[in-house]
Amino acid sequence: MKGITKFDNKLLNIYKNDLKMKYKDYEKIVFLCYDTDVFEFTQKPSINWKEVENKLHELGVSKIYHLSADKCIEDWFLLDLQGILKLSRY
């Protein structure tokens, strides 16, 4: 998604306009991966995760998982670099 700005709108649009149809015969499972430190000093969270989940469920997603990191989600991805590279062909 390349940043948190309008993350929820970008995510929903990409899913609805591309992924939903491309993988229409598959069960839809979404992993929301993000850093929690971007929300540290804001009074109101910039993303309402419950609302995002509800909209994804309305679009046909059966399961949603949150993978949140305190500082840098990219460090977490490095732990399974081979697995991510296998999936990158999709």
Side-chain angles (χ1 to χ4, degrees):
M1 298 298 294
K2 298 182 182 175
I4 200 71
T5 306
K6 297 185 181 182
F7 176 90
D8 45 352
N9 290 330
K10 286 190 248 180
L11 166 71
L12 294 168
N13 286 331
I14 289 170
Y15 178 78
K16 183 170 63 174
N17 298 321
D18 184 29
L19 300 174
K20 182 179 178 182
M21 294 309 295
K22 192 176 195 177
Y23 300 104
K24 63 183 173 187
D25 297 329
Y26 294 88
E27 178 183 15
K28 311 306 187 295
I29 302 171
V30 171
F31 289 84
L32 300 170
C33 307
Y34 52 89
D35 300 331
T36 58
D37 62 335
V38 294
F39 310 114
E40 237 177 307
F41 301 109
T42 59
Q43 290 179 347
K44 179 184 170 207
S46 57
I47 296 176
N48 181 334
W49 292 113
K50 199 62 174 160
E51 187 177 307
V52 171
E53 286 184 33
N54 290 338
K55 287 180 181 177
L56 284 168
H57 282 301
E58 288 172 13
L59 291 169
V61 173
S62 60
K63 296 176 188 168
I64 300 168
Y65 298 97
H66 290 260
L67 297 176
S68 57
D70 288 334
K71 296 294 176 198
C72 188
I73 194 72
E74 291 80 6
D75 289 347
W76 188 87
F77 293 145
L78 290 176
L79 294 174
D80 188 24
L81 185 57
Q82 292 306 311
I84 290 171
L85 290 174
K86 278 190 223 175
L87 294 174
S88 67
R89 63 187 162 159
Y90 299 106

